[in-house]
């Protein structure tokens, strides 16, 4: 790997030799008519209030202090009943608001698991092990995957011959979960006994006792802990876990919620040769994340982010969407996860539904007015016009899009009109770590932190897709600027200077000698 951030190899050839320009700094907004319009609408209230305040100040400047006191006394004397009722009403409404308003949820810190170097798998090693197992004849899938040479596999899959069994699957789960949690507890200084809520999600590995019970047993968590184990919910289960923890933190006072997101490969490697099921072998890699949330107001000062919104979209009522990611046996009886050809179209529909709900919560008034104007022109005036796609760059500084695959990232980059800079965390995560399922969003956020991009007040949009079919979003606001030099641990810490790298659209796999 060269210093300028491009990837090269003696054994590998590419069909895309000319690197695209890499943007290393936050993109600047150039002055344009749209930006001018945005500022005028966003500052409209100030433009109206300033003249009114000026007129009011001018009128009040002609009154003396005695005139003001006399005016107040006369008003109170003549309107005692109305003033009393109004004051009481304001007091009652204020108390109701304070009692009913949701408790703020803070993200104290998070940690991503980084496996040992001995579990690294290059594309050549992947093909070698697949050939020995008699699987994966579709080399083109891997060549177009967007994965690099430093992703990770569990030991059971790398062994020759492979050894997929329950004991090895538990070993992988313990290694990933405990590795991430140990690092998180060391970073935050929170004691296991202080954790009141535990949510663990893993889609395809659901042993008995559960993974959440495994965590409770290992860390000797307290007996009255509210623990949940989510299975079969796909790559978006991490945000479902965050949303569940958020709701529980509205009920349980003054506590911490530990969220653990991972996927298990050992028992879910596809050993057949059905092309629709081989993509998961190509993309999924070993990884996991632990996230610590809290509703303690005293922890706001040292927390990194505040959870602003969660939006969940489920299209399972549609049979086509329900079956687009489906675990089943192939013609030879081998179990795998089949991906439908309609997957991208269904993901687009789920995304549109999700952003329709999220848009009014986060978009500035200028974007909402443009959307409503085009909608009215199309439906009321019957004008043939394309629906206006809001500019979400007006609402967010950072985007963490689930690194489910190159096709997913390409489609969202196009639909949301994002720049290379905005897509960089997602593309580099796919290249460096592969698809780590529900934990990929946290490797992406860790990338932005390691690059020193997170500043106080920045808003980050996490968005993920999952089987079912689901599209889920979470919006975070940074409570402080993140200085990467002061971070104790970060999975990118020792190699962040090598990124971003150019990822060819097709990268040939070196043949074995």
């Amino acid at each position: 790997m060269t210093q300028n951030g491009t990837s090269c190899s003696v054994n590998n050839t590419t069909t895309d030799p000319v690197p695209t320009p890499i943007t290393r700094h936050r993109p600047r907004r150039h002055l344009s008519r749209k930006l001018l319009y945005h500022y005028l609408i966003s500052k409209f209230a100030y433009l109206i209030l300033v003249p009114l305040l000026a007129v009011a100040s001018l009128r009040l400047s002609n009154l003396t202090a005695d005139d003001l006191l006399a005016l107040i006394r006369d008003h109170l004397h003549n309107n005692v009943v109305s003033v009393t009722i109004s004051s009481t009403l304001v007091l009652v409404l204020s108390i109701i608001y304070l009692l009913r308003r949701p408790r703020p949820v803070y993200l104290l810190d998070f940690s991503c698991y980084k496996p040992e170097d001995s579990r690294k798998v290059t594309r050549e090693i992947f093909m070698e092990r697949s050939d020995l197992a008699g699987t994966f004849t579709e080399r083109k899938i891997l060549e177009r995957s967007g994965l690099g040479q430093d992703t990770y596999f569990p030991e059971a899959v790398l062994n020759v011959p492979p050894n997929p069994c329950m004991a090895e699957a538990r070993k992988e789960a313990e290694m990933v979960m405990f590795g991430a949690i140990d690092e998180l507890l060391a970073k935050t200084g929170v004691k296991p006994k202080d954790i009141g809520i535990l949510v663990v999600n893993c889609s395809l590995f659901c042993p008995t006792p559960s993974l959440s019970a495994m965590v409770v047993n290992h860390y000797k968590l307290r007996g009255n802990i509210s623990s949940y184990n989510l299975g079969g919910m796909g790559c978006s289960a991490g945000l479902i876990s965050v949303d569940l923890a958020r709701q529980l933190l509205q009920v349980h006072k003054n506590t911490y919620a530990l969220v653990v997101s991972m996927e298990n490969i050992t028992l879910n490697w596809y050993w057949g040769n059905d092309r629709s099921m081989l993509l998961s072998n190509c993309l999924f890699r070993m990884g996991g994340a632990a996230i610590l949330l809290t509703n303690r107001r005293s922890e706001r000062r040292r927390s990194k982010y505040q959870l602003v919104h969660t939006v969940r979209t489920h299209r399972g009522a549609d049979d086509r969407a329900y079956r687009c990611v489906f675990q089943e046996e192939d013609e030879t009886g081998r179990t795998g996860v089949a991906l439908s050809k309609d997957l991208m179209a269904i993901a687009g529909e789920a995304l549109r539904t999700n952003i329709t709900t999220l848009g009014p919560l986060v978009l500035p008034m200028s974007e909402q007015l443009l959307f409503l104007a085009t909608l009215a022109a199309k439906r009321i005036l019957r004008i043939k016009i394309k629906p206006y796609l809001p500019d979400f760059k007006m609402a967010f500084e950072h985007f963490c899009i689930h690194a489910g695959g190159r096709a997913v990232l390409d489609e969202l980059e196009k639909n949301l009109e994002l720049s290379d800079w905005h897509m960089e965390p997602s593309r580099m995560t796919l290249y460096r770590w592969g698809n780590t399922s529900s934990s990929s969003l946290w490797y992406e956020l860790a990338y932005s932190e390691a690059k020193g991009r997170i500043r106080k007040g920045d808003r980050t949009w996490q968005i993920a897709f999952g089987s079912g079919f689901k599209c889920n979003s979470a919006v975070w606001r940074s409570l402080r600027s993140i200085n990467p030099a002061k971070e104790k641990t970060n999975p990118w810490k020792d190699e962040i200077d090598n990124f971003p790298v150019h990822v060819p659209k097709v990268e040939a796999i070196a043949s074995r000698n």
Side-chain angles (χ1 to χ4, degrees), residues 365-398:
M365 185 58 66
S366 57
E367 289 297 298
Q368 295 190 49
L369 288 175
L370 285 174
F371 176 77
L372 290 174
T374 55
L375 187 65
K378 183 177 181 180
R379 295 189 177 182
I380 299 175
L381 302 178
R382 303 295 181 182
I383 299 176
K384 291 183 179 180
I385 185 174
K386 291 183 179 180
Y388 176 71
L389 179 65
D391 185 359
F392 280 91
K393 297 186 292 296
M394 293 285 188
F396 304 108
E397 284 75 31
H398 309 284

mmCIF file of all heavy atoms in Angstrom, residues 365-398:
data_model
loop_
_atom_site.group_PDB
_atom_site.id
_atom_site.type_symbol
_atom_site.label_atom_id
_atom_site.label_comp_id
_atom_site.label_asym_id
_atom_site.label_seq_id
_atom_site.Cartn_x
_atom_site.Cartn_y
_atom_site.Cartn_z
ATOM 1 N N MET A 365 -36.801 23.637 7.158
ATOM 2 C CA MET A 365 -38.078 24.043 6.559
ATOM 3 C C MET A 365 -37.934 24.302 5.067
ATOM 4 O O MET A 365 -38.861 24.030 4.286
ATOM 5 C CB MET A 365 -38.603 25.298 7.258
ATOM 6 C CG MET A 365 -39.981 25.736 6.788
ATOM 7 S SD MET A 365 -41.257 24.453 7.016
ATOM 8 C CE MET A 365 -41.285 24.369 8.804
ATOM 9 N N SER A 366 -36.775 24.776 4.629
ATOM 10 C CA SER A 366 -36.577 25.068 3.211
ATOM 11 C C SER A 366 -36.731 23.808 2.362
ATOM 12 O O SER A 366 -37.347 23.850 1.289
ATOM 13 C CB SER A 366 -35.183 25.679 2.990
ATOM 14 O OG SER A 366 -34.174 24.805 3.466
ATOM 15 N N GLU A 367 -36.192 22.682 2.826
ATOM 16 C CA GLU A 367 -36.305 21.428 2.086
ATOM 17 C C GLU A 367 -37.724 20.866 2.146
ATOM 18 O O GLU A 367 -38.230 20.314 1.172
ATOM 19 C CB GLU A 367 -35.310 20.399 2.641
ATOM 20 C CG GLU A 367 -33.857 20.701 2.325
ATOM 21 C CD GLU A 367 -33.607 20.677 0.826
ATOM 22 O OE1 GLU A 367 -33.790 19.636 0.191
ATOM 23 O OE2 GLU A 367 -33.233 21.740 0.289
ATOM 24 N N GLN A 368 -38.368 21.010 3.279
ATOM 25 C CA GLN A 368 -39.738 20.516 3.410
ATOM 26 C C GLN A 368 -40.692 21.285 2.495
ATOM 27 O O GLN A 368 -41.620 20.704 1.914
ATOM 28 C CB GLN A 368 -40.190 20.612 4.863
ATOM 29 C CG GLN A 368 -39.408 19.704 5.805
ATOM 30 C CD GLN A 368 -40.025 19.641 7.188
ATOM 31 O OE1 GLN A 368 -41.224 19.438 7.343
ATOM 32 N NE2 GLN A 368 -39.199 19.819 8.214
ATOM 33 N N LEU A 369 -40.481 22.589 2.353
ATOM 34 C CA LEU A 369 -41.332 23.393 1.478
ATOM 35 C C LEU A 369 -41.170 22.976 0.020
ATOM 36 O O LEU A 369 -42.158 22.889 -0.727
ATOM 37 C CB LEU A 369 -40.998 24.880 1.645
ATOM 38 C CG LEU A 369 -41.453 25.530 2.956
ATOM 39 C CD1 LEU A 369 -40.959 26.963 3.038
ATOM 40 C CD2 LEU A 369 -42.981 25.489 3.083
ATOM 41 N N LEU A 370 -39.920 22.711 -0.397
ATOM 42 C CA LEU A 370 -39.687 22.268 -1.776
ATOM 43 C C LEU A 370 -40.342 20.918 -2.040
ATOM 44 O O LEU A 370 -40.936 20.693 -3.101
ATOM 45 C CB LEU A 370 -38.186 22.168 -2.047
ATOM 46 C CG LEU A 370 -37.429 23.486 -2.238
ATOM 47 C CD1 LEU A 370 -35.935 23.237 -2.343
ATOM 48 C CD2 LEU A 370 -37.931 24.219 -3.470
ATOM 49 N N PHE A 371 -40.266 20.016 -1.073
ATOM 50 C CA PHE A 371 -40.889 18.699 -1.223
ATOM 51 C C PHE A 371 -42.399 18.829 -1.334
ATOM 52 O O PHE A 371 -43.043 18.219 -2.201
ATOM 53 C CB PHE A 371 -40.509 17.808 -0.046
ATOM 54 C CG PHE A 371 -41.180 16.464 -0.065
ATOM 55 C CD1 PHE A 371 -40.747 15.471 -0.918
ATOM 56 C CD2 PHE A 371 -42.263 16.202 0.759
ATOM 57 C CE1 PHE A 371 -41.368 14.229 -0.943
ATOM 58 C CE2 PHE A 371 -42.892 14.978 0.752
ATOM 59 C CZ PHE A 371 -42.431 13.981 -0.108
ATOM 60 N N LEU A 372 -43.008 19.646 -0.450
ATOM 61 C CA LEU A 372 -44.463 19.827 -0.473
ATOM 62 C C LEU A 372 -44.915 20.515 -1.758
ATOM 63 O O LEU A 372 -45.980 20.191 -2.301
ATOM 64 C CB LEU A 372 -44.900 20.637 0.747
ATOM 65 C CG LEU A 372 -44.799 19.929 2.096
ATOM 66 C CD1 LEU A 372 -45.131 20.895 3.236
ATOM 67 C CD2 LEU A 372 -45.738 18.729 2.144
ATOM 68 N N ALA A 373 -44.104 21.441 -2.256
ATOM 69 C CA ALA A 373 -44.467 22.157 -3.480
ATOM 70 C C ALA A 373 -44.515 21.214 -4.676
ATOM 71 O O ALA A 373 -45.459 21.239 -5.479
ATOM 72 C CB ALA A 373 -43.473 23.296 -3.733
ATOM 73 N N THR A 374 -43.505 20.355 -4.821
ATOM 74 C CA THR A 374 -43.496 19.408 -5.943
ATOM 75 C C THR A 374 -44.587 18.359 -5.790
ATOM 76 O O THR A 374 -45.187 17.924 -6.773
ATOM 77 C CB THR A 374 -42.132 18.717 -6.051
ATOM 78 O OG1 THR A 374 -41.813 18.091 -4.797
ATOM 79 C CG2 THR A 374 -41.049 19.718 -6.393
ATOM 80 N N LEU A 375 -44.865 17.971 -4.534
ATOM 81 C CA LEU A 375 -45.926 16.989 -4.295
ATOM 82 C C LEU A 375 -47.284 17.556 -4.670
ATOM 83 O O LEU A 375 -48.113 16.880 -5.298
ATOM 84 C CB LEU A 375 -45.907 16.558 -2.815
ATOM 85 C CG LEU A 375 -46.851 15.411 -2.441
ATOM 86 C CD1 LEU A 375 -46.426 14.128 -3.133
ATOM 87 C CD2 LEU A 375 -46.847 15.206 -0.920
ATOM 88 N N ALA A 376 -47.513 18.827 -4.292
ATOM 89 C CA ALA A 376 -48.783 19.469 -4.638
ATOM 90 C C ALA A 376 -48.918 19.663 -6.145
ATOM 91 O O ALA A 376 -49.997 19.466 -6.718
ATOM 92 C CB ALA A 376 -48.878 20.826 -3.921
ATOM 93 N N ALA A 377 -47.803 20.026 -6.802
ATOM 94 C CA ALA A 377 -47.839 20.221 -8.254
ATOM 95 C C ALA A 377 -48.170 18.922 -8.978
ATOM 96 O O ALA A 377 -48.882 18.918 -9.987
ATOM 97 C CB ALA A 377 -46.503 20.771 -8.734
ATOM 98 N N LYS A 378 -47.689 17.810 -8.448
ATOM 99 C CA LYS A 378 -47.904 16.525 -9.109
ATOM 100 C C LYS A 378 -49.304 15.975 -8.846
ATOM 101 O O LYS A 378 -49.981 15.494 -9.769
ATOM 102 C CB LYS A 378 -46.842 15.526 -8.635
ATOM 103 C CG LYS A 378 -46.941 14.168 -9.316
ATOM 104 C CD LYS A 378 -45.821 13.242 -8.859
ATOM 105 C CE LYS A 378 -45.924 11.888 -9.559
ATOM 106 N NZ LYS A 378 -44.840 10.964 -9.139
ATOM 107 N N ARG A 379 -49.761 16.049 -7.594
ATOM 108 C CA ARG A 379 -51.009 15.378 -7.229
ATOM 109 C C ARG A 379 -52.242 16.274 -7.359
ATOM 110 O O ARG A 379 -53.334 15.792 -7.633
ATOM 111 C CB ARG A 379 -50.906 14.848 -5.796
ATOM 112 C CG ARG A 379 -49.863 13.756 -5.646
ATOM 113 C CD ARG A 379 -49.946 13.100 -4.287
ATOM 114 N NE ARG A 379 -48.980 12.000 -4.170
ATOM 115 C CZ ARG A 379 -48.864 11.232 -3.089
ATOM 116 N NH1 ARG A 379 -49.637 11.446 -2.044
ATOM 117 N NH2 ARG A 379 -47.959 10.260 -3.059
ATOM 118 N N ILE A 380 -52.075 17.553 -7.143
ATOM 119 C CA ILE A 380 -53.224 18.459 -7.191
ATOM 120 C C ILE A 380 -53.341 19.128 -8.566
ATOM 121 O O ILE A 380 -54.407 19.111 -9.192
ATOM 122 C CB ILE A 380 -53.123 19.528 -6.077
ATOM 123 C CG1 ILE A 380 -53.120 18.845 -4.699
ATOM 124 C CG2 ILE A 380 -54.288 20.502 -6.170
ATOM 125 C CD1 ILE A 380 -52.907 19.799 -3.544
ATOM 126 N N LEU A 381 -52.220 19.690 -9.023
ATOM 127 C CA LEU A 381 -52.242 20.390 -10.315
ATOM 128 C C LEU A 381 -52.009 19.448 -11.494
ATOM 129 O O LEU A 381 -52.102 19.873 -12.643
ATOM 130 C CB LEU A 381 -51.177 21.493 -10.315
ATOM 131 C CG LEU A 381 -51.321 22.551 -9.213
ATOM 132 C CD1 LEU A 381 -50.179 23.558 -9.291
ATOM 133 C CD2 LEU A 381 -52.673 23.249 -9.305
ATOM 134 N N ARG A 382 -51.712 18.188 -11.209
ATOM 135 C CA ARG A 382 -51.504 17.168 -12.247
ATOM 136 C C ARG A 382 -50.381 17.532 -13.216
ATOM 137 O O ARG A 382 -50.435 17.222 -14.405
ATOM 138 C CB ARG A 382 -52.792 16.920 -13.028
ATOM 139 C CG ARG A 382 -53.973 16.511 -12.170
ATOM 140 C CD ARG A 382 -53.728 15.170 -11.514
ATOM 141 N NE ARG A 382 -54.881 14.756 -10.701
ATOM 142 C CZ ARG A 382 -54.911 13.640 -9.982
ATOM 143 N NH1 ARG A 382 -53.849 12.857 -9.960
ATOM 144 N NH2 ARG A 382 -55.981 13.341 -9.280
ATOM 145 N N ILE A 383 -49.341 18.192 -12.703
ATOM 146 C CA ILE A 383 -48.186 18.543 -13.520
ATOM 147 C C ILE A 383 -47.217 17.365 -13.528
ATOM 148 O O ILE A 383 -46.922 16.776 -12.478
ATOM 149 C CB ILE A 383 -47.492 19.807 -12.976
ATOM 150 C CG1 ILE A 383 -48.448 20.995 -13.005
ATOM 151 C CG2 ILE A 383 -46.224 20.112 -13.782
ATOM 152 C CD1 ILE A 383 -47.866 22.250 -12.386
ATOM 153 N N LYS A 384 -46.721 17.001 -14.707
ATOM 154 C CA LYS A 384 -45.772 15.900 -14.800
ATOM 155 C C LYS A 384 -44.395 16.385 -14.340
ATOM 156 O O LYS A 384 -43.678 17.065 -15.069
ATOM 157 C CB LYS A 384 -45.695 15.380 -16.233
ATOM 158 C CG LYS A 384 -46.968 14.675 -16.693
ATOM 159 C CD LYS A 384 -46.803 14.113 -18.088
ATOM 160 C CE LYS A 384 -48.063 13.387 -18.532
ATOM 161 N NZ LYS A 384 -47.916 12.816 -19.908
ATOM 162 N N ILE A 385 -44.078 16.036 -13.115
ATOM 163 C CA ILE A 385 -42.823 16.478 -12.509
ATOM 164 C C ILE A 385 -42.303 15.377 -11.593
ATOM 165 O O ILE A 385 -43.080 14.660 -10.955
ATOM 166 C CB ILE A 385 -43.027 17.793 -11.710
ATOM 167 C CG1 ILE A 385 -41.690 18.322 -11.187
ATOM 168 C CG2 ILE A 385 -44.020 17.598 -10.581
ATOM 169 C CD1 ILE A 385 -41.792 19.679 -10.521
ATOM 170 N N LYS A 386 -40.989 15.206 -11.571
ATOM 171 C CA LYS A 386 -40.407 14.196 -10.694
ATOM 172 C C LYS A 386 -40.531 14.623 -9.236
ATOM 173 O O LYS A 386 -40.383 15.803 -8.917
ATOM 174 C CB LYS A 386 -38.924 13.993 -11.035
ATOM 175 C CG LYS A 386 -38.668 13.324 -12.368
ATOM 176 C CD LYS A 386 -37.177 13.102 -12.573
ATOM 177 C CE LYS A 386 -36.903 12.399 -13.899
ATOM 178 N NZ LYS A 386 -35.447 12.182 -14.104
ATOM 179 N N PRO A 387 -40.821 13.676 -8.339
ATOM 180 C CA PRO A 387 -40.875 14.015 -6.904
ATOM 181 C C PRO A 387 -39.530 14.583 -6.457
ATOM 182 O O PRO A 387 -38.471 14.079 -6.855
ATOM 183 C CB PRO A 387 -41.169 12.676 -6.223
ATOM 184 C CG PRO A 387 -41.744 11.817 -7.290
ATOM 185 C CD PRO A 387 -41.117 12.250 -8.576
ATOM 186 N N TYR A 388 -39.566 15.617 -5.650
ATOM 187 C CA TYR A 388 -38.338 16.258 -5.191
ATOM 188 C C TYR A 388 -37.677 15.389 -4.116
ATOM 189 O O TYR A 388 -38.313 15.010 -3.134
ATOM 190 C CB TYR A 388 -38.633 17.641 -4.624
ATOM 191 C CG TYR A 388 -37.416 18.320 -4.048
ATOM 192 C CD1 TYR A 388 -36.408 18.790 -4.877
ATOM 193 C CD2 TYR A 388 -37.266 18.467 -2.669
ATOM 194 C CE1 TYR A 388 -35.277 19.398 -4.350
ATOM 195 C CE2 TYR A 388 -36.148 19.082 -2.138
ATOM 196 C CZ TYR A 388 -35.163 19.550 -2.987
ATOM 197 O OH TYR A 388 -34.046 20.148 -2.457
ATOM 198 N N LEU A 389 -36.421 15.051 -4.323
ATOM 199 C CA LEU A 389 -35.671 14.298 -3.332
ATOM 200 C C LEU A 389 -34.962 15.290 -2.415
ATOM 201 O O LEU A 389 -34.092 16.036 -2.861
ATOM 202 C CB LEU A 389 -34.636 13.390 -4.007
ATOM 203 C CG LEU A 389 -33.771 12.564 -3.049
ATOM 204 C CD1 LEU A 389 -34.626 11.558 -2.297
ATOM 205 C CD2 LEU A 389 -32.648 11.869 -3.800
ATOM 206 N N PRO A 390 -35.347 15.339 -1.149
ATOM 207 C CA PRO A 390 -34.731 16.300 -0.228
ATOM 208 C C PRO A 390 -33.217 16.114 -0.139
ATOM 209 O O PRO A 390 -32.700 15.000 -0.303
ATOM 210 C CB PRO A 390 -35.409 15.975 1.112
ATOM 211 C CG PRO A 390 -36.679 15.283 0.756
ATOM 212 C CD PRO A 390 -36.376 14.528 -0.499
ATOM 213 N N ASP A 391 -32.527 17.184 0.110
ATOM 214 C CA ASP A 391 -31.084 17.158 0.261
ATOM 215 C C ASP A 391 -30.760 16.888 1.732
ATOM 216 O O ASP A 391 -30.773 17.806 2.557
ATOM 217 C CB ASP A 391 -30.484 18.495 -0.183
ATOM 218 C CG ASP A 391 -28.965 18.483 -0.158
ATOM 219 O OD1 ASP A 391 -28.392 17.445 0.213
ATOM 220 O OD2 ASP A 391 -28.357 19.517 -0.493
ATOM 221 N N PHE A 392 -30.481 15.637 2.047
ATOM 222 C CA PHE A 392 -30.218 15.276 3.439
ATOM 223 C C PHE A 392 -28.870 15.778 3.924
ATOM 224 O O PHE A 392 -28.583 15.703 5.119
ATOM 225 C CB PHE A 392 -30.334 13.761 3.618
ATOM 226 C CG PHE A 392 -31.758 13.292 3.742
ATOM 227 C CD1 PHE A 392 -32.474 12.909 2.621
ATOM 228 C CD2 PHE A 392 -32.383 13.261 4.980
ATOM 229 C CE1 PHE A 392 -33.796 12.496 2.731
ATOM 230 C CE2 PHE A 392 -33.698 12.850 5.095
ATOM 231 C CZ PHE A 392 -34.413 12.466 3.975
ATOM 232 N N LYS A 393 -28.047 16.289 3.025
ATOM 233 C CA LYS A 393 -26.792 16.894 3.465
ATOM 234 C C LYS A 393 -27.059 18.190 4.221
ATOM 235 O O LYS A 393 -26.174 18.686 4.922
ATOM 236 C CB LYS A 393 -25.886 17.145 2.255
ATOM 237 C CG LYS A 393 -25.460 15.875 1.527
ATOM 238 C CD LYS A 393 -24.443 16.135 0.433
ATOM 239 C CE LYS A 393 -25.026 16.923 -0.730
ATOM 240 N NZ LYS A 393 -26.090 16.180 -1.442
ATOM 241 N N MET A 394 -28.254 18.745 4.066
ATOM 242 C CA MET A 394 -28.654 19.919 4.845
ATOM 243 C C MET A 394 -28.970 19.548 6.294
ATOM 244 O O MET A 394 -28.985 20.400 7.183
ATOM 245 C CB MET A 394 -29.888 20.575 4.219
ATOM 246 C CG MET A 394 -29.642 21.195 2.860
ATOM 247 S SD MET A 394 -28.725 22.736 3.002
ATOM 248 C CE MET A 394 -28.824 23.327 1.303
ATOM 249 N N ALA A 395 -29.254 18.252 6.530
ATOM 250 C CA ALA A 395 -29.666 17.802 7.859
ATOM 251 C C ALA A 395 -28.558 17.074 8.606
ATOM 252 O O ALA A 395 -28.568 17.023 9.839
ATOM 253 C CB ALA A 395 -30.895 16.899 7.753
ATOM 254 N N PHE A 396 -27.601 16.479 7.859
ATOM 255 C CA PHE A 396 -26.567 15.668 8.493
ATOM 256 C C PHE A 396 -25.188 16.030 7.964
ATOM 257 O O PHE A 396 -25.025 16.344 6.780
ATOM 258 C CB PHE A 396 -26.814 14.173 8.227
ATOM 259 C CG PHE A 396 -28.172 13.699 8.665
ATOM 260 C CD1 PHE A 396 -29.140 13.380 7.724
ATOM 261 C CD2 PHE A 396 -28.488 13.579 10.010
ATOM 262 C CE1 PHE A 396 -30.388 12.946 8.105
ATOM 263 C CE2 PHE A 396 -29.737 13.149 10.416
ATOM 264 C CZ PHE A 396 -30.693 12.831 9.460
ATOM 265 N N GLU A 397 -24.208 15.939 8.871
ATOM 266 C CA GLU A 397 -22.814 16.115 8.463
ATOM 267 C C GLU A 397 -22.156 14.786 8.110
ATOM 268 O O GLU A 397 -21.208 14.740 7.322
ATOM 269 C CB GLU A 397 -22.011 16.779 9.595
ATOM 270 C CG GLU A 397 -22.254 18.264 9.752
ATOM 271 C CD GLU A 397 -23.608 18.582 10.397
ATOM 272 O OE1 GLU A 397 -24.067 17.754 11.235
ATOM 273 O OE2 GLU A 397 -24.207 19.626 10.077
ATOM 274 N N HIS A 398 -22.642 13.684 8.706
ATOM 275 C CA HIS A 398 -22.010 12.381 8.522
ATOM 276 C C HIS A 398 -23.070 11.321 8.220
ATOM 277 O O HIS A 398 -24.174 11.360 8.764
ATOM 278 C CB HIS A 398 -21.214 11.981 9.768
ATOM 279 C CG HIS A 398 -20.273 13.041 10.245
ATOM 280 N ND1 HIS A 398 -19.073 13.301 9.616
ATOM 281 C CD2 HIS A 398 -20.367 13.931 11.273
ATOM 282 C CE1 HIS A 398 -18.455 14.292 10.240
ATOM 283 N NE2 HIS A 398 -19.226 14.692 11.245
#
